[in-house]
Amino acid sequence: MSIITQAQLQQHIKDNALARLYVICGGEAYLKQHFARQLAHAAVDETARDFNFHRFEGKDVSLNDLAQAVEAVPWGSERSCILVRDFALDSYDKDDDFAAWLADLPEHCVLIFWQDTVEFKPKKSKTLTAAINKSGHVAELNAPDSASILKLVAAGVKARNCNIDRQTADYFIQCVGGDLNLLQNELAKLCAFANGEITRAHIDEICVKSVDAKSFDMVKAVAAGNGTVALRLLDELFTQKIAPQLLLGSLVANYVDLYRAWAAMNSGKSAEAPAQLFDYKGKTFRLQNAGRMAQRMTYAQIRRSLDILDQADRRLKSSAMDNRLVMEQCVIGLLSVRT
C-alpha cells in the first residue's frame, strides 16, 4: 500500500507533476484543507479556471455527475480539476465498478477527494486504496510534530514582518494548543497586535488560551499551593461555559503527564522519555512542563491527586451534586494534597 507523505505531496505541487487522482485524508483538518486547495490551484490555469474547475459536496453529488465532470474535455488548458469534499469513499470499498473507474481515469483530469469531516481509512479500505494507487495517491495528513509546528509558527511570523524567539514560540504553542486552524487564527491576531517583536506579554494579553493550557496553569498553581490563582482559573473556565467533563478530562491528562514524568525522572531518565511509549507527537512540551512540576511533588501526593480526580469523575457521572461544586471541591482537594 502506497501512502504519500506531506513532503511528497508538496513536491508534486512544486514540480507541477500531478497524478490523476488524490485522496486527502487524515486527522489534521487544517493541513487537509490547505493541500486540497493547493492541489486544485496547481491543477488548472487561472485563465481557464471558470471552465475547467469543478467543485462538489460529497453528500450532494451523484456518481453520474461526477463521471460527467471527469470525462469533460478541458477548454484552453491541458487539465481539468474536480474537487469533491466529503465523499463517502468507504461505502464503495467493495464496489468493483467504482474501483475500476478510479483505476482508469482520463489523463486530462485531476480528481481530488478531500475528506474534511468524512473519514477514509486507507488501511481498512484496501481494495479501494489499491484502485486509487493505479491512478494516483492517498495522502494521509495527521498532526505534525513539535518541530514542524515551530517551523509553521516561525514562517507565519516572518510572513507578517514580525519576530519571535524560540522560547516565546514554544510558549505560544503551549497556550493556544496544537490545532492548526486555531493556531493560524491566533497567530494572525497576535502579529497584528504586536506589529514587531512578539513577547510573552503580547501572548498573555491577546491570545485565547486553550482549555488544556488553562488547566495546565491551574495544575501549576495547585503544585505551587496557590489556591487563589487555581480557583480564579476555574471560574474563568466556567465563565467560558466549558463542559465540566471536558475540564476534568484536561486536568486528568495533566496529572497523568505529571505521573509519567515523575516516574521517568525517578528511573534515571528524562521527563520526555514517556513520549517513546505514549502518543505525544507534537506535544512533548507537556512532558517537559510536567517534569518541572514533578520536582515539587512526591509519589504519594501524585497518587492522592489522581484518586481525587477519579472521585470527581464518578461524582460528575453519577451524582446529583452541582457540577461546579464538584469541580471546586476537586480543586480544593488537590490543593489540600500540597499542605
Side-chain angles (χ1 to χ4, degrees):
M1 181 183 299
S2 175
I3 300 175
I4 62 173
T5 64
Q6 178 180 328
Q8 289 172 314
L9 185 57
Q10 285 175 316
Q11 197 63 46
H12 287 199
I13 296 169
K14 180 180 178 181
D15 296 341
N16 198 23
L18 304 185
R20 289 169 289 162
L21 175 62
Y22 289 92
V23 176
I24 310 298
C25 60
E28 179 45 64
Y30 171 80
L31 290 177
K32 289 189 294 183
Q33 180 187 63
H34 173 76
F35 281 105
R37 289 177 174 176
Q38 288 289 308
L39 280 170
H41 178 76
V44 294
D45 296 332
E46 283 297 321
T47 54
R49 179 169 291 274
D50 290 345
F51 299 97
N52 299 324
F53 176 66
H54 312 277
R55 174 168 175 164
F56 299 101
E57 289 295 322
K59 64 180 186 299
D60 298 327
V61 67
S62 68
L63 285 179
N64 185 56
D65 290 339
L66 196 55
Q68 286 184 9
V70 166
E71 295 296 332
V73 177
W75 181 88
S77 177
E78 64 178 278
R79 288 186 303 226
S80 63
C81 178
I82 301 90
L83 175 63
V84 189
R85 177 178 174 268
D86 282 341
F87 189 78
L89 282 169
D90 280 343
S91 63
Y92 290 92
D93 186 39
K94 304 300 180 182
D95 189 323
D96 293 338
D97 291 337
F98 184 72
W101 177 69
L102 286 183
D104 192 32
L105 293 172
E107 294 288 344
H108 65 250
C109 87
V110 177
L111 174 58
I112 305 165
F113 288 107
W114 165 25
Q115 302 307 104
D116 184 18
T117 60
V118 175
E119 288 189 353
F120 175 69
K121 300 289 187 182
K123 292 181 181 179
K124 290 184 178 179
S125 302
K126 294 182 179 179
T127 301
L128 190 56
T129 300
I132 291 167
N133 286 336
K134 291 180 181 179
S135 286
H137 308 280
V138 175
E140 193 169 14
L141 305 175
N142 294 307
D145 58 23
S146 299
S148 298
I149 295 175
L150 273 171
K151 287 180 182 178
L152 185 67
V153 170
V157 168
K158 184 178 180 181
R160 295 174 175 89
N161 298 315
C162 291
N163 299 300
I164 190 169
D165 61 42
R166 170 64 182 270
Q167 290 74 25
T168 307
D170 277 333
Y171 181 66
F172 170 70
I173 296 166
Q174 292 174 36
C175 289
V176 175
D179 183 285
L180 295 187
N181 269 321
L182 180 60
L183 188 145
Q184 289 284 7
N185 291 338
E186 292 298 308
L187 186 61
K189 185 170 67 175
L190 178 63
C191 289
F193 179 75
N195 194 29
E197 187 70 30
I198 295 171
T199 66
R200 285 194 174 209
H202 291 139
I203 295 168
D204 289 336
E205 187 167 354
I206 198 67
C207 291
V208 177
K209 286 192 174 183
S210 68
V211 175
D212 283 344
K214 280 198 172 182
S215 65
F216 169 76
D217 287 346
M218 194 186 307
V219 173
K220 186 177 178 181
V222 168
N226 194 332
T228 302
V229 172
L231 291 169
R232 175 177 58 78
L233 288 167
L234 179 64
D235 181 65
E236 288 179 8
L237 287 162
F238 269 102
T239 301
Q240 290 178 231
K241 300 187 183 301
I242 304 298
Q245 293 80 3
L246 180 61
L247 172 55
L248 182 63
S250 187
L251 282 174
V252 170
N254 275 283
Y255 270 92
V256 169
D257 292 342
L258 193 63
Y259 176 78
R260 289 171 176 170
W262 186 94
M265 292 165 67
N266 280 271
S267 298
K269 299 179 180 179
S270 69
E272 296 90 345
Q276 299 174 12
L277 303 173
F278 304 98
D279 183 15
Y280 282 93
K281 187 176 181 180
K283 300 177 181 178
T284 51
F285 63 83
R286 286 175 46 172
L287 289 170
Q288 294 168 2
N289 292 333
R292 287 190 285 270
M293 287 191 295
Q295 295 173 355
R296 304 179 182 178
M297 300 183 71
T298 66
Y299 172 76
Q301 287 173 327
I302 296 172
R303 285 300 303 267
R304 175 60 184 145
S305 298
L306 290 170
D307 288 340
I308 290 169
L309 291 164
D310 177 63
Q311 186 179 42
D313 180 57
R314 294 172 187 272
R315 285 178 176 173
L316 284 178
K317 291 176 180 176
S318 60
S319 171
M321 287 180 64
D322 177 79
N323 287 341
R324 178 163 186 149
L325 180 59
V326 171
M327 291 305 302
E328 286 176 346
Q329 289 182 350
C330 175
V331 172
I332 291 170
L334 293 173
L335 285 162
S336 71
V337 171
R338 294 287 295 128
T339 59

